[in-house]
Amino acid sequence: MALTKWNGILYGGDYCPEQWDEETLHEDIRIMKEYGINAVTLNVHSWCVYQPEEGAYSFGVMDHIIHLLEENGINIVMATGTAALPNWLLKKYPDIMAQSIRGVRNRPARRVNYCPNNKEFKHRIQEICEVLAKHYKDQKNIVLWHLSNELEGHCYCDCCANEYRKWLKERYGSLEALNKAWNTMFWGHVYTDWEQINPPAYDNMVMENVNGAGIDLSAFPTESMEYKRFMTESFKKDFEIEKAAILKYIPDALVTNNFQFREYDYDELAKPLDIVSFDLYPEKNDSPHKAAFFLDMCRGLKKKQSPFLMMEMSPNQASWAMSCPVKRPNEVSSIAVSSLARGAESAMFFQIRRSRAGFEKFHGAMIEHSGRTDTRQGKELKKLGSNLKKMGDSFLGTEVLAEVAIIADWNYKWGIEVTSFPKKGTKYFDEVLYYYKWFHDQNIMTDVVRADSDLSKYKMVVAPMMYMLTEKQADNIKAYVKNGGCFITTYFSGITDYQDNVWLGGYPGLLKDMLGIWVEETDTLYENESNLIQICADGFSQKEYTCGVFCDLLRVEGATVFGKYGKDFYQGQPCITENRYGKGKAIYIATKPDEAFLGALFSKYVQETGVIKVLKTSAGVQAALRKNETEQYLFLINYSAEQQKVELGGKLRNILSNEEESIAMLIPGDYAIYRL
C-alpha cells in the first residue's frame, strides 16, 4: 500500500516556529527549500499557543505559519499537541498529572506527564482535537495527523486504580477466576473484594536492588505484567478518543503516533493507528543490525506489510545520551536510507531548527545555532534531500517480502525482566538480537512477528526465548511445522502462559511433543564459565563450538541429537536436537551458542529450506530488497570504514545516477539504489 496523501518521500522534521520570531520563520522556510524539505511536523508542543486560557482560542499565529508553509509547497504532519498540556489546565485540574509508582504526583512542565485515565483529561483531548480538526478540515497541505507524542511512563493514581479494577472485572468476570489465573494463593494474598486490588507500588510489589545487583524485580510478576497491559490499553483508548475527534470533521484523515519502544505492548498500541511511525536514535557504536531489527518490527505492527514512517532521527547529536558524539560523514544519510530499505516512506528528523534553551538545546537539528548551511552537516542534508527527490515515488508502495520470521513479543520481555528469572539481568531483546544478527549480516530479509501471526508464508521461523505461550499460539506453531515449516527455538521457551503460570509436565510445556524433548533442569553459568557443543551430525563446519550462559539438561523423546555438551557433570548429554513433526522440522537449541555455531546451524537450514539471500556482499555492506508484482528495488548501504566493491550480478539501473552499473563502488557510509 502506498501512502497516497503525498507524492514522494516525506523529508523534513519537527518544527517549532512558535519559539521564533517572524524573521527567523522566513529564513527557516528559505533554508527548507534549499535542503529540499517537503514536510514538517507541527504543533507537537503548542497547545498553549492556540488556547492560552480556558475557553479562549487564538489561531492567528498557527494559521499564519501554516499558510506560509502552504505557499512554499511544504506539507504538514499536524500534531494534536496533547503531549504537552498547558499550565492553566494543570493548575485548575492537578489530578490530570500522573502519579509515580512511589506515590508522588507529577508537577507541570514535563511532557506526557498525564494520567491516561483521568476523565477531565479525556474530555479535554477530545475537545481540543475536535477544535483543531474543525478549524483545519479544509487545509490541503495537512497530509497526516500525529496523535500525542512519544509515550513514556505509567500512572499509579487512584483514578487508574479504579479503572484498573473495572478492566480486570471485564477481563476475568469474577474474583474466583482472577485468583486462579494470578495464583494468588502464593504468599497468601488471595483477593476477596475487588477494592483490595491496587496498582503496583514500591511498598507492595517492588523488590528493590535484589542481591545488591541494582535490579528491581516484582514480588508478584503476574500482577506487574497485567498492569503494563492495562496501561497499554489506557493509552490506546486515548488514541481512539483523539482519532474519533479528528474523523468527526475529516473522515478520510490518517493518524499516527511516533513509537519509541519502551514499556508498552506496541502491537496493541498500533491498532487504532492508520500508519505506524518510529523514532530511531542509534548510538555511535551500535551494530546496524539493532536498528534493522526494530525497523523490521515497525513494518509488521500493522500485520499487512503496510509502510511505516521514520518520524524522527537526529541529523547530528542526541542530547539525552551520556556522551553526544557527532554523526560521522554520510552516517545521517545511511540511517535514513536503511529505514527506506526496510519499508519506511519518510526521512524525518528532530528537529528543523535547534532550540536556544531547554533540555534539547544541544540536540542536533537541520538548522544549527549558527544558522549556516555551508557546513559539513548542511551539505550532507542538501545531498540527501536531492537524492530523495530523485527517488520520488519510485519504490513507494513496494513491500519487503521476507522468507524468515523472528518471533518477538513485549510480553516475553516483561515476563523475563520483572520476575525472579534464573539469570537475573537478562535483557530479552538482547537475546533476540543475538539470533537475528546472522540473518541481517547475510542479507536475508526478516519479518518480526508474534507467535499467533500467520506463519504459513515463511520458510523458517526462529523463536529465541519464547518464554510465554498460549494454547492458541502453540497450536499455530504446531500447524506451521506439521505443514512443512522449519521452526527453531531455544532455552526458556514455552515456559508459562500469559499470566506467568508455568505449564506443568516439563519444559517447554505445550511444545514438548513437537520438539521431541523435555527439559529436566536448566543450569545458568557465571560470566567466566562456559561449556562446549560437540557435534554428532553432518552439515557443520566444525566439530566443537563454545556455549554458555544457559544450559538445559534435556531428555530426548523422539528427537535426533545433533550436539552434546562437552563438559561438566552433564558431559555427553544432548544440547542440540531436531525433531520431524508432520512434514516439517522443529529444532531446539538448549544452550546459548557462540556465533560460529549459529552461523553453521542457520546456514544448514537456509540451504535446506531454500531461503534466498538478497545479495552476497562483504561484511559491513547491507543489502535489502523492496518489491511488488512488477518491480524490485535493491538497496546497498556501506556501514564499514572502508570502500567496498559489490558485484551486482548483471547490469542494473541506478535510480540516483540513472546509469546502468554491474559493480557498485561505495565509500564509507555511502549507499546506492537499483531498479531490478
Side-chain angles (χ1 to χ4, degrees):
M1 181 185 82
L3 302 178
T4 57
K5 286 245 176 179
W6 52 85
N7 294 317
I9 299 157
L10 290 183
Y11 180 51
D14 278 43
Y15 187 41
C16 305
E18 65 275 8
Q19 298 177 16
W20 303 96
D21 58 22
E22 183 73 9
E23 182 181 354
T24 306
L25 170 60
H26 285 274
E27 174 64 3
D28 289 347
I29 291 175
R30 184 194 69 79
I31 294 175
M32 288 182 206
K33 295 173 79 172
E34 184 179 349
Y35 281 164
I37 288 172
N38 62 13
V40 298
T41 302
L42 210 60
N43 190 40
V44 175
H45 301 126
S46 308
W47 187 340
C48 63
V49 173
Y50 49 84
Q51 193 180 15
E53 57 184 288
E54 187 164 16
Y57 296 100
S58 176
F59 285 102
V61 172
M62 192 67 69
D63 288 349
H64 175 61
I65 293 165
I66 288 174
H67 292 150
L68 272 177
L69 292 168
E70 183 178 31
E71 288 171 4
N72 286 275
I74 297 172
N75 291 316
I76 294 170
V77 176
M78 189 67 172
T80 57
T82 54
L85 309 186
N87 280 327
W88 63 260
L89 179 61
L90 298 178
K91 180 70 173 177
K92 185 172 182 178
Y93 304 101
D95 287 351
I96 285 178
M97 288 176 284
Q99 181 173 299
S100 76
I101 196 170
R102 295 182 183 273
V104 178
R105 180 75 68 176
N106 286 355
R107 294 189 178 188
R110 288 194 62 182
R111 60 185 191 173
V112 196
N113 64 340
Y114 52 78
C115 166
N117 290 296
N118 181 276
K119 289 183 172 54
E120 188 63 37
F121 170 74
K122 290 175 177 289
H123 165 67
R124 295 292 177 157
I125 63 172
Q126 177 182 352
E127 181 181 67
I128 198 64
C129 288
E130 285 190 7
V131 167
L132 281 170
K134 184 177 181 180
H135 187 78
Y136 290 117
K137 62 184 173 62
D138 297 319
Q139 191 64 45
K140 301 302 183 186
N141 62 328
I142 295 178
V143 295
L144 182 66
W145 286 81
H146 183 312
L147 311 181
S148 187
N149 194 43
E150 300 164 340
L151 296 185
E152 55 181 307
H154 294 162
C155 181
Y156 303 87
C157 71
D158 289 342
C159 176
C160 286
N162 290 330
E163 292 302 314
Y164 182 42
R165 295 177 195 120
K166 292 177 186 176
W167 183 77
L168 291 172
K169 285 180 185 178
E170 290 183 13
R171 191 168 174 84
Y172 290 101
S174 69
L175 277 174
E176 181 183 19
L178 179 142
N179 281 314
K180 182 179 179 181
W182 286 12
N183 194 28
T184 53
M185 193 56 73
F186 173 76
W187 281 359
H189 70 294
V190 173
Y191 295 110
T192 56
D193 190 289
W194 290 103
E195 293 301 311
Q196 296 166 5
I197 302 174
N198 289 300
Y202 258 90
D203 58 4
N204 80 341
M205 205 166 290
V206 177
M207 304 182 74
E208 294 185 81
N209 195 24
V210 175
N211 298 327
I215 299 170
D216 292 348
L217 298 176
S218 176
F220 304 107
T222 297
E223 299 180 44
S224 293
M225 285 184 276
E226 204 77 287
Y227 199 74
K228 290 178 185 290
R229 294 175 185 133
F230 166 69
M231 274 289 119
T232 296
E233 185 68 18
S234 300
F235 282 104
K236 185 176 88 169
K237 286 181 177 178
D238 290 344
F239 283 173
E240 290 168 348
I241 289 170
E242 294 194 26
K243 179 178 181 178
I246 293 165
L247 294 182
K248 181 177 179 180
Y249 293 97
I250 314 172
D252 62 344
L254 300 176
V255 303
T256 191
N257 171 264
N258 51 333
F259 286 174
Q260 284 195 317
F261 289 141
R262 290 170 170 157
E263 289 299 309
Y264 308 97
D265 184 339
Y266 287 89
D267 285 86
E268 288 298 315
L269 277 181
K271 286 180 179 177
L273 307 178
D274 298 299
I275 302 164
V276 167
S277 296
F278 186 51
D279 294 352
L280 178 63
Y281 290 98
E283 297 191 38
K284 180 180 177 181
N285 294 322
D286 281 351
S287 169
H289 82 282
K290 183 177 180 180
F293 172 81
F294 289 109
L295 293 169
D296 287 347
M297 179 177 280
C298 284
R299 193 177 65 247
L301 285 175
K302 294 302 290 181
K303 307 302 180 191
K304 294 183 178 179
Q305 291 293 306
S306 53
F308 64 95
L309 296 178
M310 183 50 56
M311 191 60 74
E312 287 187 26
M313 301 173 282
S314 175
N316 207 321
Q317 295 162 297
S319 63
W320 42 260
M322 293 300 293
S323 183
C324 303
V326 299
K327 292 286 193 292
R328 272 38 194 174
N330 298 319
E331 186 179 356
V332 171
S333 298
S334 65
I335 293 171
V337 175
S338 67
S339 303
L340 298 174
R342 309 195 89 82
E345 300 205 341
S346 70
M348 305 279 279
F349 295 91
F350 184 85
Q351 58 182 326
I352 298 291
R353 178 177 281 276
R354 187 182 281 212
S355 301
R356 289 190 66 190
F359 183 75
E360 293 174 318
K361 63 181 175 292
F362 295 120
H363 195 290
M366 301 182 84
I367 305 172
E368 294 287 1
H369 288 148
S370 68
R372 300 287 295 262
T373 62
D374 58 349
T375 59
R376 178 182 68 87
Q377 174 191 295
K379 291 174 183 176
E380 183 172 344
L381 290 172
K382 289 177 202 175
K383 181 180 178 182
L384 176 60
S386 174
N387 282 344
L388 292 174
K389 189 173 182 179
K390 290 177 185 176
M391 295 176 202
D393 61 358
S394 56
F395 56 79
L396 300 189
T398 59
E399 297 179 325
V400 174
L401 299 179
E403 296 180 326
V404 175
I406 301 282
I407 289 179
D409 194 317
W410 296 93
N411 292 276
Y412 305 167
K413 169 182 163 61
W414 301 336
I416 289 167
E417 295 179 17
V418 307
T419 193
S420 184
F421 199 65
K423 188 71 174 177
K424 293 166 187 64
T426 298
K427 298 297 183 184
Y428 168 69
F429 279 117
D430 287 350
E431 291 292 316
V432 178
L433 284 163
Y434 185 74
Y435 290 86
Y436 171 88
K437 183 177 185 296
W438 184 84
F439 294 98
H440 172 270
D441 292 350
Q442 295 296 312
N443 297 322
I444 294 173
M445 303 309 293
T446 310
D447 284 345
V448 180
V449 303
R450 285 168 79 132
D452 51 6
S453 301
D454 178 9
L455 304 177
S456 62
K457 59 186 174 182
Y458 301 111
K459 295 179 178 178
M460 285 178 64
V461 174
V462 181
M465 287 188 80
M466 189 174 55
Y467 177 70
M468 292 178 162
L469 200 66
T470 65
E471 291 181 284
K472 181 180 178 181
Q473 290 171 335
D475 290 343
N476 189 48
I477 292 168
K478 289 179 180 180
Y480 165 73
V481 178
K482 273 185 179 178
N483 290 324
C486 177
F487 180 78
I488 302 174
T489 192
T490 74
Y491 44 88
F492 281 106
S493 290
I495 306 297
T496 74
D497 63 17
Y498 268 55
Q499 276 64 47
D500 205 32
N501 293 302
V502 170
W503 290 109
L504 301 179
Y507 315 138
L510 302 173
L511 300 181
K512 295 195 307 292
D513 61 329
M514 182 190 76
L515 290 161
I517 55 96
W518 68 276
V519 178
E520 187 169 345
E521 299 178 83
T522 299
D523 193 16
T524 57
L525 308 188
Y526 291 128
E527 300 306 317
N528 61 346
E529 293 181 312
S530 64
N531 207 311
L532 297 171
I533 300 172
Q534 294 180 333
I535 299 300
C536 51
D538 296 331
F540 293 85
S541 56
Q542 299 172 206
K543 288 299 180 183
E544 193 170 85
Y545 299 88
T546 303
C547 65
V549 188
F550 304 97
C551 294
D552 284 346
L553 279 59
L554 300 185
R555 297 278 292 275
V556 173
E557 295 187 341
T560 301
V561 177
F562 282 4
K564 299 179 179 181
Y565 289 112
K567 295 195 300 184
D568 217 319
F569 74 90
Y570 41 91
Q571 179 180 357
Q573 292 190 29
C575 58
I576 308 296
T577 62
E578 176 190 279
N579 192 48
R580 297 275 181 172
Y581 187 76
K583 299 177 183 177
K585 299 175 181 179
I587 297 90
Y588 192 76
I589 304 173
T591 181
K592 187 170 183 177
D594 61 23
E595 290 189 7
F597 174 81
L598 279 187
L601 183 78
F602 289 156
S603 292
K604 169 183 170 63
Y605 290 108
V606 161
Q607 185 174 1
E608 287 184 12
T609 58
V611 168
I612 297 172
K613 300 179 183 180
V614 173
L615 189 69
K616 184 176 180 180
T617 62
S618 55
V621 177
Q622 179 188 126
L625 197 66
R626 291 180 61 157
K627 58 185 176 180
N628 57 24
E629 294 178 354
T630 58
E631 294 181 309
Q632 299 185 66
Y633 292 87
L634 171 67
F635 292 74
L636 298 176
I637 305 159
N638 180 14
Y639 285 107
S640 76
E642 307 293 333
Q643 179 169 297
Q644 297 286 350
K645 176 181 178 181
V646 182
E647 300 278 353
L648 300 177
K651 285 197 172 185
L652 303 178
R653 176 74 61 181
N654 185 320
I655 68 170
L656 299 179
S657 68
N658 202 31
E659 299 289 333
E660 285 197 341
E661 300 170 357
S662 56
I663 295 173
M665 299 297 296
L666 302 174
I667 62 174
D670 201 6
Y671 57 90
I673 306 172
Y674 296 92
R675 182 183 286 110
L676 276 65

